[in-house]
Amino acid sequence: MSYVLTCPNCGPREVTDFGFGGEVNPRPVAAPSARELGEYNYFRRNVAGVQREWWVHRSGCGAWFYAERDTRTNEVLLTELPEAGA
Amino acid sequence: MSRLPERDGERIDRGRSLTFTFDGREVGAYEGDTIGSALFAAGQRTFSRSFKYHRRRGLMCCAGQCPNCLVQVDDAPGVRACTEPVREGMQVMHMNAQPSLELDVMNATDRFGGPFTPPGFYYKTFIRPRRLWPLYEKVLRHAAGLGRLRKSQPEREWQTEYRRRHADVLVVGGGAAGLSAATAAAELGADVVLADEGPEPGGRLLAEGGRDYARELAGRARAAGVELLQNAPALGTFDGLVPVWQGDTLHQVRAAQLVVASGAIEQPLLFPGNDLPGVMLSGGALRLVELYAVKPGTRAVVAAVCDRGLNAALALREAGVEIACVADLRPHGGSRGDAAKLLQRRNIPLMRGSTVLEARGRGQLDGVILGPPGSDDGAGERTLGCDLLVVSGGSAPATSLLSQAGARTGYDERRGHFALTHVPSGVLAAGEVAGVGELAAAEGSGALAGADAAHALGFGDEASRAAAERERAKPAGPNGWAAAGNAVPPPVTSERRGKCFACLCEDVTSKDIHLSVKEGYDSIELSKRYTTATMGPCQGRMCQLPAVRLMAEETGTSLADVGTTTARPPWHAVPMGALAGRPFEPAKRSSIHGRHRELGANVLWAGDWRRAYDYGDPRGEALAVHEAAGLIDVSTLGKLIVRGPDAGEFLDRLYPNRFSNLKPGRIRYGVIASDAGRITDDGTICRLDDDAFYVTTTSSGAGAIYEWFTWWLADWGLDVHITDVTQGLSAVNLAGPRAREIVQGLTELDCSADAFTYLDGKRAAVAGVPCLILRIGFVGEVGYEIHYAAAHGEDLWDALLRAGAPHGIRPFGLEPQRLLRLQKMHILVGQDTDSESNPFGAAMPWIVKLDKEQAFIGKWALERFAEDPPETALVGFRVANGHVPTEGAVVMPLDGSPMGQVTSARHSPQLGGVIGMAWVPAALAKDGERVTISDEGKRLEAEVVTRPFYDPDGEVLRS
C-alpha cells in the first residue's frame, strides 16, 4: 500500500512517515454495558468506503490528526487537526 | 573475427582496448563493448544452456530481453551479457552447464528426457515411489535455477540508497516519444524526471541510424530541465509510487502524472529449431552491427511479417552480410513500400506469402526451410543454407507498467498484438507502446502526452492548451517507419519434427502448451502456472503473445477471448540487495556507553538499545548492591515532562490511581491501563511543581506511551504540553547501604534519612551537574535514581564511581538488576505480564482507585474485573531443589492440568535459593500453597510466596 498523506502541519508525505491510529470510534459517554464495552474495545466497523481515522506524524512533527480515506482506493479526501478543547 | 570496419554512430572506442576472461579464457574487447558483443566478435556463438533441456543458446535480442545470454560476472549470477558493458579484468563464467558450455551432461534431457519432462513432470515422472521424493527434490532443486550464489560473501556489502523523489511528471522510456514528452512537460514548467533503462537516451534511434538525432533530443530535454536517469529501469507501479533502480540507488518516484513511453518488444516466430544459436531478432542483428560493429553472420535468411524485417535485410546487406533470401509473410510482400523495391534493386530474392517453417543445425544454425505457412507437403518450399536467420515477428507493446497502473488492453486484429484500450486518469501512454511507431508521429504523440500531463497539473496557459488541441485534431500520419499497421500476425507452428519453443526462458514448447490445455488447464492463467510459460527471466517479453496464440489455436477461441495474464512487478530483474536498502541496524546507546565498554561490559541488545548486561561478575555485582553500593545506567527509561494547568487532571484521566493530589516533590508509582483494563506500561511520576509532572515509562514502551499520551490529549484538548526528554536526559541508579554517604559527598542537598525520605524527588547539583534525584527503590536497597542532561553523561558517572570507590562501589548491569528486582517481586511489564494481564491478577489491586472522582481510561473494565475474581494470579515462588525453571515453563496445580506459567526465575545468592514469579491458579495464590512446574520434561515442586522475598516490609528501602 503506497499513497500520500498531507500532514496538516508539514504538508504531503509518503504514508510510511505516519503511524495509523485506527478508526475514529467515539468512546462511550455513560457507563457502557458489557457488550458495548467489548464492542468499543475489540470490534471495528472496517468500512469499505470513506473512513474517518486517526494518524500520527511519527517521522515528523508528532501531531495526531484526522483523515478521511476511502479504504477501497486509498484516496485521502481530507486531513485536519482536531479542534482544541473538544 | 566478426568485427566490421569503423561505422558512423558506433558505441565502441577502438582506441581503448580491454581484456576480460570468459570461463578462464582471455577475451579482447573495446571500451563500449558489451560482454555479448565482445564474445560474439571473438567467435563465441553459444552463450548459455537452456533451463530444462540444456540446449545451446546464442545471442538473439541484444537488448536484455531474452534469456539466452545470461552469464555469471564476478560472482553475480543472472547478468545479461548483451547489455552489460565490459570492464577491465571482469571474470565472466557460463551458467547452467556442467562440466562446460561445450559439453553439458544435462543435455541428455534434450535427447532422451523429453517424454519424462513434460509440464508438471515433478508430479508425474517423479511422483513414485513417494519415499524417494526427498531424494528427487534434492536432485531437482540442484538442477533447477540458473546461477550460483556463493554462500559466504564477506566482502560484498550491498549499500543501496533510497532516494525519495516527488515530481510533477515521471516519464518512463527515453526513446523519441519519451524524450519529446519530457521536454514538452518541462517546457511548460513541470518538474520532470525521465527514467530510461539504456545506457544513453534514444531507444530505437540508436540502432536505426538516429544516434545524432537522439543526442539532439536528449540535449533539448536537459536544456528544459528534465532530470534524465540512465541505466534506470522502472520496476513497477505501486499505487502511483514507481521504484526506479539505478545501480546503488533506488529512486522511489512519486509523480502526479505518469507518462509511459516504454516502446514495443520485437517478437520472435514459432517454428521448430527457433532457439538455435544463429536465430536472431532483426533488432538484435542491427544492434550488433550499428552499436558494436559486429557482423552477425556471413550468409543470412530474413523472415519478416512487416517492413521492419525488410529494412533490416537492407541494412545488413549494406553492412556486408550476404542475404540469401527474404521471406515476407504478407501475400503482397509490402509491394507498395520502398523496401521491397530496394530489395529487388539489390537482387535479393523475395518470397511472398512465405515464412520460415524450420531451422536446422546441430547446436548451431546451418540451414532453413522457407515456404507458405501450414504447408506439410513440401509445395512451394525452399531449403537454404545459412548461418544467420533474422526473424521479425511483429512487435508487442510493452504495456506491463501501464497494466499495473490500471490500464486495460485488448487484442487488435489489425496490428496482431494486444493494444491499449483504456488508461486510468493520471496515466498517459505515448509512442510505440500506444501504437504510434513511426518516428515523426511518435515524437508528436510524446509531445502531446507531455503537454497533457503538464496541463492536468495546472501548468501552461490558454495558448499552450489550444496548441495541444490542434495537435490532437490532426489526422494520423502515414505509418512508414515501424509499419506496425502493415504487420500480419505470424502463424502458429505446424506439426513438424523438432522442438518449437514458445517460452525460451523455461523451455516450454508449443506441444507443452497444447498438452496443458488437453489436461484441462485451458485458461491462460492456469496454463501459465502449469507450464511456467512467461514466468522466466523475460517475464513474457518474448513469449506472452506466442503463448496466447497457441492457446487460442488449441482451444478454438479468439486471442481477444484468451486474453493475457496479469501484469506484475518487477518488470525488470532487480537484485534483492537493491530492494533491501542499507544493511544497518539502528542502535541506541546512552551517552555513558563508552564507559561500559571501557569497563569490559558484556553488551547486548535490549530492544533497540545496546546495554551492559553485566561487567563480568553478575553475582558479585548484585552482592555489592546489598553490601556496599552499586551504580547502573538506566538512561534508556522513557521520560516525559507533562506541564500545564490541566496536567493533574490529564494524568488522573490516564492512570487508575490519582496524581492530581500528589504533592510537589513527591513520587508515586503508576500503571497504565488500556480501556480494556489491561496493563500496558508502568513507571514512576514525580510532581515537579503545581503544573508540572515528570513521568517515566519502561524503556521499550517510551515511544508508544508518548503516542498514547499525545493521542488522548489531541482528543481531550486539555491545556497540557508534553515534552519527550527520553534521549535528552541520562539517568543512573545509585543503590546500596553506602549510597547515601556517596551522594551526600557530592552535593550540598541534605540527604539525611529525615530530610530526603523514600519517594521524595528533589532538584540539586550533584558533582556540579544539575539533577533531579528520585529516591525510589527498584532494586530493594536505599537508592537514588539521578536524572540529568545527557551531555553530562560520563561526568556524573565518573564522579559517582570516584566518590564511591573507598566505599566499595561497583557498576552493575541489567542481569544483576533483574535479580535484585525479582527479590523484591517488582514486576517487569511485558516479562511478568502480557497483553491480557490486569492489575487485579497482577497482585496490584491497590493501584485501582475505583472511587476516584475523575473517570479514567479502563475504569469500566476494571470495575468488572474487581467483581470477577481472576482465574490466575501473579505470585512469587521458591523451588527447593536448586533447579532454575525456564521462563515460560508451565505451572500445574497438583491435580495435573496446566494453568499458568513461570515468568521470571533466578538463583539468588543473597537469599540462598531459587526464586521466581509465576501466574498460578487464583485459588493457590496464597503463601505456602504448593504447585508443580513442568519444565522440559522435569517436574519441580514450588512453594507460593506472596510477599517480597527480600525485605518484605520495605524497612531497608525506607531507611
Side-chain angles (χ1 to χ4, degrees), chain B residues 560-571:
Chain B
D561 285 339
V562 171
T564 55
T565 55
T566 306
R568 299 183 197 282
W571 173 234

Side-chain angles (χ1 to χ4, degrees), chain B residues 292-373:
Chain B
Y292 310 107
V294 171
K295 199 169 170 192
T298 324
R299 188 175 138 93
V301 168
V302 178
V305 305
C306 57
D307 274 359
R308 187 171 181 170
L310 306 193
N311 288 323
L314 290 166
L316 289 169
R317 169 72 154 74
E318 185 269 333
V321 179
E322 184 198 338
I323 310 291
C325 186
V326 175
D328 190 332
L329 189 59
R330 296 171 289 185
H332 306 290
S335 44
R336 281 176 232 112
D338 298 326
K341 298 195 185 88
L342 286 168
L343 283 171
Q344 203 178 34
R345 226 176 283 158
R346 282 164 184 53
N347 287 320
I348 297 173
L350 172 61
M351 280 173 73
R352 296 199 158 89
S354 295
T355 186
V356 52
L357 299 175
E358 196 178 319
R360 293 190 166 160
R362 295 190 54 147
Q364 174 78 26
L365 180 73
D366 63 29
V368 298
I369 301 178
L370 303 175

Side-chain angles (χ1 to χ4, degrees), chain B residues 815 818-819 822 831 884-885 887 904-908 913-916:
Chain B
E815 178 54 32
R818 291 221 167 111
L819 170 61
L822 181 60
Q831 169 94 20
V884 180
E887 284 160 12
S904 302
R906 291 288 191 284
H907 177 267
S908 164
V914 174
I915 57 172

Side-chain angles (χ1 to χ4, degrees), chain B residues 34 57 116 267 338 367 402-403 406 423 480 519 614 673 776 808 835 935:
Chain B
T34 59
R57 292 285 166 82
F116 300 105
Q267 297 294 291
D338 298 326
L402 289 158
S403 296
V423 279
E519 291 191 41
D614 60 57
I776 49 185
S835 58
D935 184 14

Side-chain angles (χ1 to χ4, degrees), chain A residues 2 4 14 27 58 64, chain B residues 239 254 675 707 710 864:
Chain A
S2 166
V4 167
E14 289 290 325
R27 198 160 174 269
R58 194 168 280 159
W64 281 95
Chain B
D239 296 329
R254 185 181 287 282
D675 243 339
E707 282 184 3
T710 53
R864 289 189 160 76

Side-chain angles (χ1 to χ4, degrees), chain B residues 266-292:
Chain B
E266 194 175 19
Q267 297 294 291
L269 291 170
L270 295 178
F271 51 88
N274 64 345
D275 71 325
L276 278 169
V279 178
M280 282 195 199
L281 291 172
S282 76
L286 285 180
R287 271 184 277 279
L288 277 178
V289 168
E290 295 295 332
L291 299 178
Y292 310 107

Side-chain angles (χ1 to χ4, degrees), chain B residues 642-903:
Chain B
V642 178
R643 181 187 296 278
D646 296 339
E649 180 190 336
F650 179 64
L651 294 175
D652 277 359
R653 288 206 207 186
L654 282 176
Y655 285 84
N657 53 345
R658 291 183 187 86
F659 286 94
S660 55
N661 65 352
L662 185 61
K663 294 196 177 57
R666 292 293 290 165
I667 300 165
R668 190 170 286 164
Y669 174 68
V671 161
I672 295 184
S674 66
D675 243 339
R678 315 288 179 181
I679 298 173
T680 53
D681 204 79
D682 71 350
T684 57
I685 297 180
C686 173
R687 189 167 201 157
L688 299 173
D689 53 50
D690 283 338
D691 59 1
F693 293 80
Y694 185 72
V695 176
T696 67
T697 75
T698 62
S699 302
S700 49
I705 296 307
Y706 177 69
E707 282 184 3
W708 181 248
F709 276 28
T710 53
W711 184 45
W712 285 109
L713 185 60
D715 191 31
W716 294 330
L718 296 173
D719 190 356
V720 172
H721 289 270
I722 304 170
T723 312
D724 183 351
V725 291
T726 301
Q727 306 205 32
L729 301 184
S730 288
V732 295
N733 188 15
L734 170 70
R738 298 301 186 83
R740 178 176 288 125
E741 270 178 78
I742 295 167
V743 73
Q744 184 67 85
L746 293 170
T747 182
E748 300 206 341
L749 179 71
D750 185 355
C751 298
S752 62
D754 299 322
F756 198 159
T757 63
Y758 182 64
L759 295 184
D760 276 345
K762 293 178 186 288
R763 275 176 278 198
V766 178
V769 177
C771 297
L772 172 65
I773 310 170
L774 309 176
R775 192 181 154 190
I776 49 185
F778 190 53
V779 294
E781 299 288 343
V782 171
Y784 303 89
E785 195 176 273
I786 309 172
H787 294 240
Y788 57 102
H792 293 293
E794 290 165 348
D795 298 337
L796 192 55
W797 174 271
D798 292 344
L800 287 166
L801 284 181
R802 257 196 317 271
H807 299 276
I809 195 175
R810 284 185 76 166
F812 68 103
L814 269 190
E815 178 54 32
Q817 187 201 48
R818 291 221 167 111
L819 170 61
L820 292 165
R821 66 97 202 171
L822 181 60
Q823 290 172 173
K824 292 292 292 182
M825 269 196 240
H826 287 153
I827 66 162
L828 283 172
V829 171
Q831 169 94 20
D832 304 300
T833 65
D834 63 20
S835 58
E836 296 302 296
S837 311
N838 69 61
F840 297 101
M844 290 193 283
W846 40 267
I847 210 148
V848 183
K849 307 293 185 207
L850 292 173
D851 59 344
K852 200 162 82 169
E853 313 72 48
Q854 177 66 260
F856 56 90
I857 304 289
K859 178 173 186 180
W860 301 311
L862 289 169
E863 278 170 344
R864 289 189 160 76
F865 290 139
E867 280 166 26
D868 288 325
E871 272 194 347
T872 53
L874 185 62
V875 296
F877 65 85
R878 275 203 164 87
V879 172
N881 73 356
H883 177 90
V884 180
T886 318
E887 284 160 12
V890 167
V891 165
M892 326 215 350
L894 261 37
D895 72 1
S897 53
M899 186 185 264
Q901 57 172 21
V902 171
T903 61

